[in-house]
Amino acid sequence: MKLIFIVASLFLGFFAQADQTCALRKSNIHALRAVHEHLELAWWAASPDQVWNAPCKSHQPPSEDTMLDYLDNGDSKKISTTVNGISFKDEDPAMIQLFRDLNTYDYSMKDKPPLAFNSKCDKVLCAAKEIFGDKEGLQLLYMLKRHGFNGSALRTKNASSWKANELDDVLTALGDYPDSLYPIQYNRKLSHFTRGMSYHSDPDAVIANSVMEVFDSWNKMTQPERQQTFLHELGHVIAQQKNLDSSAEWYKLAGWTEKVSQKNGSRFVEYEQTDKSHSVSEYAQTNPSEDFAETVVAYRFDGANMKQKHPDKYAYIKEHVFDGKEYLDAKSCTSSLTKTEQIKQANDASYANALAYVKTHPMTSFADDQIVEDAQTRCLDSMMKALAHEISETETCTTRALKEIQLSKAAKAQGVSLDTSLLSEKQLNQIGITEGGGRAFNQMVRVKFSNDLVNNIGQDKRNPLVSSYLRRAKDPESGCKDWAFMSVADIRQSPLAANLVKDDHYYFFQNNRRQNMEAFMQKSCLDAFKSASAGASSFRLTLSILKNMP
């Protein structure tokens, strides 16, 4: 009993909860390790040394050449545009989008004026190096594209700029999980909390949390400890994205039961692990979420032991997190492939055959309703993001979609299976589409999308000019503002937004997306008002939306 009391006391001093997220505390870490040397179950599922010496462990960050090669999309169509005050010329649209994302505020900065820079750079890499640092600029662009994490300190509250050696550690750790896992959630924050500050009075109290913030105390740890801490928090991010740690299947596998009670009118949820033999560590016994994060770490860095002791949990993590890849020994680094990698190998062979067919049987006309509808389906998220000011143009997506459609038709003609979503930009760029052809096709898709957008607004709002919002408003601007608010509410609930909301339940409530979409719809309403009389049909609204779409 005495030993249990010591562990419990240390636990209370070792962990803190911030915003209902795991927050690893540094205090008493050595005392905890000393205590747990006498316990049959270790405190961590994998110690820092186990992490460091595990099969297939990355020990070096990606080189400069590796990062530059990954950012290079080959002979992609170039555009010229101004973003955050910087005029880019003949630049890859994908690079411009990365730059825009690094410098667009998240919700915590919603009341701040947009970032604007004074720079003579006309290429994204030049501008990123100028703003974030010579090495850091490249690292941040690479991390955002490859892993989906946004490390910019300029776009969020309570963040300090990353240093190159810190990003080396982060990128090395991210490389320990399979590529098919990423992005877990594109554009998710990954920040170093403001240096010299903490959520607690003790600056060394918290090391990191599952919001993906690391604190000053993280820098004071050894490199293996920093990576072990980071990878534990990454386990929470994986779970949150798919609600894996709160699923009935996970509760059953891990031996958890949920107890709901009412106290003073408030709902309380408590968890009890009825069979602790399911745990991979002492800390995993805290709650189902910590159990999941610890189990992910155990799978990756102590896989052989876990497979033997916890085969059901091992199989669950293998299927739902690691896409079938295993890390049991040194041979598995190359012999064990993810399901995605296996599919891609076969897919690349189908691509080569389909490409040869397209070269000899080029598509002569794109003006086909089915082709346009197919392209809109592939680009629907991009069209919606354009309304929320998240992307500056949609032609890049519709041009890619047109290339994918040609390859899909070629594969079908040859009787082979091809998943075009697995193809790289370099592969797709082997198909040539003239600039004029790409622009004309983009216009066709945008026309269809504009019509569909209006049709997904409530019938009483499809003609804003005769709606009650304008009739009772003191002026068109305020009337269109009220109309836009209600119209966007309809759009958020429509099939057009289903995929975005499925991937992120709070999509429209982050990064000013809802407000930006309302501003877009308000402008379209005002344009329709200016160009028509009060008796005009909703066709005027469709034209205004089409006019204002990027």
Side-chain angles (χ1 to χ4, degrees):
M1 280 301 286
K2 185 176 180 181
L3 181 59
I4 294 173
F5 174 75
I6 293 172
V7 173
S9 300
L10 289 171
F11 167 76
L12 291 174
F14 189 77
F15 287 92
Q17 294 297 321
D19 298 326
Q20 296 184 333
T21 60
C22 164
L24 298 187
R25 291 175 62 90
K26 186 180 181 183
S27 59
N28 296 327
I29 187 170
H30 298 295
L32 271 167
R33 286 177 182 156
V35 169
H36 281 279
E37 285 177 0
H38 302 286
L39 296 178
E40 183 179 347
L41 199 60
W43 179 258
W44 296 119
S47 69
D49 287 343
Q50 281 180 296
V51 170
W52 194 250
N53 296 311
C56 319
K57 174 73 180 78
S58 302
H59 291 103
Q60 295 294 328
S63 67
E64 180 180 1
D65 287 344
T66 296
M67 291 188 285
L68 288 171
D69 183 65
Y70 192 81
L71 291 171
D72 181 14
N73 284 326
D75 297 327
S76 62
K77 171 183 173 290
K78 304 297 190 288
I79 65 172
S80 298
T81 188
T82 300
V83 179
N84 297 107
I86 300 179
S87 296
F88 296 112
K89 296 179 181 178
D90 298 323
E91 180 59 288
D92 178 0
M95 288 289 285
I96 291 175
Q97 188 59 46
L98 291 172
F99 183 85
R100 180 188 297 276
D101 291 335
L102 287 175
N103 295 291
T104 298
Y105 292 135
D106 67 11
Y107 190 74
S108 68
M109 304 280 278
K110 61 186 177 70
D111 297 324
K112 299 286 185 180
L115 287 167
F117 305 101
N118 184 14
S119 173
K120 294 182 180 179
C121 291
D122 61 3
K123 299 296 180 186
V124 165
L125 185 57
C126 170
K129 288 183 173 183
E130 189 176 88
I131 294 166
F132 298 106
D134 191 56
K135 185 175 180 181
E136 294 87 344
L138 174 59
Q139 289 171 312
L140 291 173
L141 288 167
Y142 173 82
M143 183 168 72
L144 182 55
K145 181 178 181 181
R146 180 152 205 159
H147 302 294
F149 285 105
N150 194 323
S152 171
L154 301 178
R155 68 185 292 269
T156 190
K157 266 188 176 181
N158 299 326
S160 287
S161 297
W162 286 100
K163 297 177 182 177
N165 65 315
E166 295 168 344
L167 286 171
D168 279 344
D169 265 354
V170 170
L171 289 171
T172 302
L174 289 171
D176 283 327
Y177 287 176
D179 285 344
S180 58
L181 180 65
Y182 304 111
I184 301 168
Q185 179 187 350
Y186 179 78
N187 214 24
R188 186 182 178 111
K189 177 175 76 171
L190 198 169
S191 67
H192 192 300
F193 199 79
T194 305
R195 299 179 195 274
M197 293 179 61
S198 175
Y199 287 126
H200 298 268
S201 55
D202 178 3
D204 283 344
V206 179
I207 301 170
N209 60 33
S210 61
V211 179
M212 297 309 283
E213 295 171 317
V214 302
F215 296 78
D216 289 344
S217 50
W218 181 77
N219 296 83
K220 300 173 185 178
M221 305 174 82
T222 65
Q223 189 176 21
E225 287 173 337
R226 287 196 298 272
Q227 294 196 13
Q228 184 247 25
T229 299
F230 181 84
L231 291 167
H232 171 94
E233 299 304 340
L234 189 59
H236 286 297
V237 177
I238 296 167
Q240 292 163 7
Q241 187 61 18
K242 298 180 180 177
N243 298 319
L244 294 173
D245 58 353
S246 59
S247 67
E249 185 179 1
W250 175 249
Y251 283 1
K252 182 178 179 180
L253 280 174
W256 289 97
T257 58
E258 183 179 271
K259 293 184 177 181
V260 181
S261 59
Q262 295 287 332
K263 296 180 182 179
N264 300 322
S266 298
R267 184 177 183 269
F268 286 85
V269 179
E270 296 175 301
Y271 301 96
E272 180 181 356
Q273 193 172 34
T274 53
D275 184 354
K276 297 188 183 298
S277 67
H278 290 287
S279 296
V280 296
S281 70
E282 276 290 313
Y283 186 47
Q285 295 176 3
T286 307
N287 58 49
S289 295
E290 298 303 344
D291 190 4
F292 185 91
E294 282 290 277
T295 304
V296 170
V297 172
Y299 181 98
R300 175 59 184 87
F301 300 106
D302 192 22
N305 184 44
M306 183 187 167
K307 187 174 185 178
Q308 180 183 8
K309 292 183 177 180
H310 309 283
D312 291 342
K313 291 177 81 173
Y314 183 92
Y316 182 85
I317 298 298
K318 177 182 177 180
E319 172 70 21
H320 294 283
V321 177
F322 286 91
D323 196 23
K325 186 172 179 64
E326 297 184 279
Y327 304 88
L328 299 175
D329 50 39
K331 292 181 180 178
S332 63
C333 302
T334 53
S335 63
S336 177
L337 300 177
T338 64
K339 291 179 181 178
T340 302
E341 287 170 333
Q342 294 175 43
I343 293 170
K344 195 172 188 315
Q345 285 183 350
N347 204 62
D348 285 346
S350 297
Y351 158 77
N353 292 330
L355 178 63
Y357 186 90
V358 170
K359 297 281 189 182
T360 56
H361 301 77
M363 190 180 291
T364 56
S365 175
F366 310 141
D368 179 278
D369 289 346
Q370 187 58 51
I371 293 175
V372 171
E373 184 174 349
D374 191 350
Q376 178 179 290
T377 300
R378 295 168 188 260
C379 292
L380 189 55
D381 288 356
S382 292
M383 295 285 174
M384 293 293 288
K385 288 179 179 180
L387 303 189
H389 297 179
E390 280 203 278
I391 61 175
S392 58
E393 51 86 36
T394 56
E395 187 177 334
T396 299
C397 184
T398 55
T399 299
R400 177 189 170 97
L402 187 54
K403 294 174 180 179
E404 290 179 353
I405 291 167
Q406 291 185 71
L407 286 169
S408 294
K409 287 181 175 294
K412 185 177 181 180
Q414 294 180 307
V416 298
S417 175
L418 178 67
D419 184 349
T420 55
S421 69
L422 296 176
L423 300 177
S424 68
E425 293 298 326
K426 289 181 180 179
Q427 288 175 309
L428 288 170
N429 285 338
Q430 295 299 310
I431 298 177
I433 294 178
T434 66
E435 185 173 342
R439 189 177 301 118
F441 185 70
N442 175 254
Q443 178 73 355
M444 296 177 202
V445 180
R446 287 163 68 244
V447 167
K448 175 171 172 49
F449 176 76
S450 299
N451 279 310
D452 288 352
L453 192 69
V454 171
N455 289 333
N456 276 276
I457 297 171
Q459 195 162 2
D460 61 323
K461 308 180 197 76
R462 290 179 190 170
N463 184 358
L465 309 184
V466 297
S467 71
S468 59
Y469 303 100
L470 262 75
R471 281 190 280 107
R472 64 177 178 237
K474 63 180 180 180
D475 54 62
E477 186 168 347
S478 61
C480 281
K481 184 176 182 180
D482 292 341
W483 172 87
F485 178 84
M486 298 305 297
S487 296
V488 170
D490 289 344
I491 294 168
R492 288 193 286 110
Q493 302 296 322
S494 75
L496 299 178
N499 198 49
L500 293 174
V501 176
K502 175 187 172 185
D503 291 340
D504 181 0
H505 298 306
Y506 303 103
Y507 175 81
F508 287 101
F509 301 98
Q510 301 177 58
N511 300 344
N512 291 328
R513 291 166 180 145
R514 177 177 58 81
Q515 294 90 333
N516 290 339
M517 192 173 287
E518 288 171 6
F520 174 90
M521 294 302 287
Q522 181 185 10
K523 186 175 189 308
S524 297
C525 171
L526 285 169
D527 286 350
F529 180 85
K530 293 173 183 176
S531 64
S533 65
S537 70
S538 60
F539 178 65
R540 290 290 179 185
L541 176 61
T542 303
L543 292 178
S544 297
I545 290 171
L546 182 62
K547 168 190 168 186
N548 291 317
M549 272 196 70

